[in-house]
Amino acid sequence: MDLANFSAKLEPFLLMAKSLKGAAAAKLIQDATSAPGVFVFAELLELPNIKELEKSEQHSKFFSLLQLFSYKTYQDYLQHKDELPPLNQSQITKLKHLTIVSLAADRRILPYADLLKSLDVSNVRELEDLIIDAIYLDLLQGKLDQKEEQLEVSYTMGRDLEPGKLEYILSALKDWASTTSAVLATLDNKINQIAADAAAAKASQQEHERILQNNLKEVHEKQKEKSLGGGMATRRGAQFQVGERENMNMDVDDDSKGKNRKASQEMTPKLPRKRNKF
């Protein structure tokens, strides 16, 4: 439920209060603080005829009652109980719900021990029932951690502001805005630095790749030149070897021819010489 819906629940009482004074106005405060679904009272407090009750000795305690439900807690009631009208059960339950909202606005994690003390509740079962009812009424959102015995709050409605608190809240918001601006400026600087470092790293990588490619190209060209030079030397060596083999063949042929001639001479039978007889 948003603030507009909470304000709508108060609207009938605002219309009636404009024409009421004294005891009738005091009775209206009792009715408004007891009515289901009515959890904001600032507009009622601001009405002139309601403000008049503060100056009345007879009815001032009803104005204090309206202030109690507007921005105070159950502990405030216990401390000033004698100065206030007696509360019925509906008012007590509503005030305890509003007290949970006030505590949840200050802290996201609410231990059961703190809640039991603040609400003057004697057992965990009763406390959890109060919290569950507050969640169903959309006064807050969260979950009960029974193992850790705590309430984890994710959202609360906004209560009326106590007089003098507005300046404090504005100051806190200004501090928050300043801190946020400083954090954003730091993040921007970090992002710019990271972008610059990334650009420098990319340029360095590209330069490294360029040098590597040039070196690979030079090595490839040298290997190609060496390969071409080795091929010519191989051809020259082959030609030289062929020439040597041819020379060797010629020598072998000459030797063979010489040997063949000698062999043929040896194989040819010598004819006996005729001797002249005298």
Side-chain angles (χ1 to χ4, degrees):
M1 186 182 293
D2 57 27
L3 185 59
N5 289 329
F6 285 125
S7 297
K9 294 284 187 177
L10 182 65
E11 190 66 30
F13 297 98
L14 293 175
L15 295 173
M16 290 187 288
K18 290 178 181 179
S19 60
L20 299 179
K21 290 186 178 182
K27 176 65 168 58
L28 181 126
I29 290 173
Q30 282 277 32
D31 294 341
T33 53
S34 301
V38 181
F39 294 100
V40 291
F41 305 93
E43 291 180 84
L44 191 59
L45 270 171
E46 294 300 318
L47 292 178
N49 50 334
I50 297 297
K51 283 186 175 182
E52 288 178 3
L53 296 177
E54 187 178 14
K55 300 174 184 178
S56 169
E57 183 178 351
Q58 184 180 359
H59 304 297
S60 60
K61 59 183 179 181
F62 291 96
F63 185 81
S64 297
L65 178 66
L66 189 57
Q67 288 177 316
L68 176 69
F69 277 85
S70 185
Y71 44 73
K72 295 184 179 181
T73 66
Y74 189 71
Q75 283 297 313
D76 293 317
Y77 166 70
L78 294 179
Q79 292 172 14
H80 303 92
K81 193 173 184 179
D82 296 336
E83 303 168 15
L84 295 165
L87 302 184
N88 58 41
Q89 189 56 48
S90 296
Q91 288 172 316
I92 291 173
T93 302
K94 180 183 291 192
L95 187 56
K96 288 183 177 181
H97 286 156
L98 291 171
T99 300
I100 296 173
V101 170
S102 292
L103 294 172
D106 294 332
R107 290 184 295 168
R108 195 180 73 84
I109 303 297
L110 296 174
Y112 280 5
D114 293 349
L115 290 170
L116 288 169
K117 182 179 179 181
S118 298
L119 302 175
D120 193 28
V121 175
S122 58
N123 61 79
V124 172
R125 176 62 184 272
E126 185 181 350
L127 172 64
E128 289 182 340
D129 287 343
L130 277 170
I131 295 171
I132 292 169
D133 288 342
I135 292 172
Y136 276 117
L137 290 168
D138 208 16
L139 300 179
L140 59 87
Q141 292 177 4
K143 68 175 184 177
L144 297 172
D145 188 340
Q146 294 178 324
K147 181 179 179 181
E148 298 295 331
E149 294 192 339
Q150 62 187 19
L151 169 63
E152 297 178 7
V153 181
S154 57
Y155 156 85
T156 66
M157 63 162 282
R159 292 193 68 186
D160 300 326
L161 285 178
E162 187 175 356
K165 285 288 184 73
L166 181 60
E167 291 75 12
Y168 168 78
I169 291 175
L170 289 175
S171 176
L173 287 173
K174 286 179 181 177
D175 291 342
W176 175 81
S178 269
T179 303
T180 303
S181 297
V183 170
L184 289 175
T186 302
L187 288 175
D188 286 339
N189 291 336
K190 287 286 185 183
I191 290 171
N192 292 335
Q193 184 63 45
I194 291 170
D197 291 345
K202 184 177 180 180
S204 176
Q205 180 67 23
Q206 290 176 343
E207 180 65 15
H208 174 75
E209 290 291 337
R210 186 185 67 79
I211 294 172
L212 178 63
Q213 292 300 324
N214 288 339
N215 290 339
L216 290 174
K217 186 176 180 182
E218 289 178 4
V219 169
H220 179 70
E221 290 177 351
K222 287 181 180 179
Q223 288 178 344
K224 187 176 180 181
E225 290 176 0
K226 193 178 290 186
S227 176
L228 291 172
M232 292 178 65
T234 302
R235 285 196 295 273
R236 291 194 191 101
Q239 291 173 356
F240 176 75
Q241 289 176 0
V242 170
E244 279 190 336
R245 283 198 298 270
E246 289 177 351
N247 291 335
M248 289 175 65
N249 291 335
M250 289 177 66
D251 292 341
V252 169
D253 291 343
D254 290 342
D255 291 344
S256 298
K257 288 178 182 180
K259 289 179 181 180
N260 290 336
R261 284 196 298 270
K262 187 174 181 180
S264 63
Q265 290 176 359
E266 290 177 352
M267 292 175 65
T268 303
K270 291 183 179 182
L271 296 175
R273 292 181 180 180
K274 292 181 180 181
R275 294 180 179 180
N276 294 325
K277 295 181 180 181
F278 297 100

